[in-house]
């Protein structure tokens, strides 16, 4: 069953919620983003996922004149003349990249407006050394003999790129097992703005 597969593969709350139409997740995340949007003109939103437009992008589409869905491609980040007001990064976006910092830098430089832009990031920080070498992780290791959490690494990265943390939350989600039991995971959600 697809829920058991979710446990064995990368955990992905956005994808799981999309497939299971989880209203609680979408209501919380949509409110989080809309409360952060204090942009005078909301023209363009770019939705990065695993192909096709996400439910979240669909829920937010009425607030934008242009919505673009991009498949995750760490090699080629699209460039456009029109920069985005909002970028959605979900579907285990960070965890699917060999070098998350490099790809995020390209997104910021090529797709974000220099002022009044937001980035929404949803991640379980489920790093996999088969995809991302541990030296490229954005946390989840010891730094100066102290635990250095991925949430710290992500926050510091965006601050170094002139984004401030607007909102942060951890959303629980329950994944049913095939035997009637379930397991609860935590998804980290961030809204960064500049």
């Amino acid at each position: 069953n697809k829920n058991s597969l979710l446990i064995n593969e990368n955990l992905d709350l956005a994808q799981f919620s999309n497939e299971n139409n989880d209203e609680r997740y979408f209501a919380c995340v949509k409110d989080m983003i809309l409360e952060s949007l204090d942009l005078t003109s909301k023209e363009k939103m770019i939705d990065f996922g695993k192909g096709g437009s996400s439910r979240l992008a669909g829920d937010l589409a009425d607030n934008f004149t242009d919505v673009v869905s991009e498949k995750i491609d760490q090699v080629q980040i699209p460039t456009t003349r029109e920069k985005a007001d909002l970028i959605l990064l979900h579907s285990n976006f960070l965890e699917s990249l060999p070098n998350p910092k490099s790809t995020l830098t390209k997104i910021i430089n090529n797709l974000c407006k220099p002022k009044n832009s937001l980035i929404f990031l949803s991640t379980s920080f489920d790093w996999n050394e088969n995809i991302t070498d541990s030296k490229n992780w954005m946390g989840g290791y010891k730094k100066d003999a102290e635990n250095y959490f991925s949430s710290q690494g992500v926050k510091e990265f965006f601050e170094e790129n002139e984004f401030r943390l607007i909102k942060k939350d951890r959303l629980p989600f329950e994944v049913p097992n095939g035997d009637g039991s379930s397991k609860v995971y935590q998804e980290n959600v961030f809204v960064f703005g500049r």
Side-chain angles (χ1 to χ4, degrees), residues 30-94:
K30 182 180 175 183
D31 288 347
M32 190 175 178
I33 293 170
L34 289 176
E35 289 169 6
S36 302
L37 279 173
D38 81 23
L39 309 170
T40 54
S41 65
K42 296 171 281 215
E43 296 169 359
K44 187 171 191 167
M45 171 176 59
I46 300 176
D47 177 26
F48 277 91
K50 293 183 178 173
S53 184
S54 69
R55 159 79 191 274
L56 181 57
D59 284 357
L60 295 168
D62 289 343
N63 298 285
F64 295 88
T65 56
D66 186 17
V67 177
V68 177
S69 293
E70 295 286 350
K71 192 172 186 335
I72 295 171
D73 184 349
Q74 62 272 8
V75 177
Q76 180 76 26
I77 298 297
T79 58
T80 61
R81 282 184 287 199
E82 295 295 320
K83 305 298 184 195
D85 298 292
L86 173 64
I87 301 213
L88 303 175
L89 305 173
H90 55 87
S91 299
N92 283 8
F93 181 79
L94 284 183

Side-chain angles (χ1 to χ4, degrees), residues 57-185:
D59 284 357
L60 295 168
D62 289 343
N63 298 285
F64 295 88
T65 56
D66 186 17
V67 177
V68 177
S69 293
E70 295 286 350
K71 192 172 186 335
I72 295 171
D73 184 349
Q74 62 272 8
V75 177
Q76 180 76 26
I77 298 297
T79 58
T80 61
R81 282 184 287 199
E82 295 295 320
K83 305 298 184 195
D85 298 292
L86 173 64
I87 301 213
L88 303 175
L89 305 173
H90 55 87
S91 299
N92 283 8
F93 181 79
L94 284 183
E95 296 90 336
S96 70
L97 303 172
N99 191 333
K101 287 183 181 181
S102 174
T103 303
L104 288 173
T105 299
K106 289 176 189 174
I107 288 171
I108 289 168
N109 292 338
N110 295 321
L111 301 175
C112 290
K113 287 184 174 180
K115 293 185 179 182
N116 294 328
S117 61
L118 293 177
I119 294 180
F120 168 77
L121 174 65
S122 173
T123 178
S124 60
F125 294 124
D126 188 26
W127 300 113
N128 180 340
E129 284 190 86
N130 294 323
I131 299 169
T132 310
D133 190 303
S134 61
K135 71 180 186 318
N136 292 326
W137 293 0
M138 296 180 77
Y141 53 83
K142 296 273 187 191
K143 182 177 178 180
D144 301 324
E146 298 290 327
N147 288 334
Y148 185 68
F149 297 101
S150 295
S151 58
Q152 291 170 270
V154 164
K155 182 177 182 280
E156 287 175 12
F157 169 83
F158 278 101
E159 287 173 348
E160 289 166 5
N161 285 277
E162 300 178 4
F163 278 82
R164 71 191 184 291
L165 178 62
I166 296 174
K167 292 188 183 271
K168 176 185 174 190
D169 206 346
R170 289 182 57 136
L171 300 177
F173 70 106
E174 187 174 1
V175 179
N177 293 320
D179 62 2
S181 65
S182 61
K183 188 166 182 177
V184 177
Y185 295 93

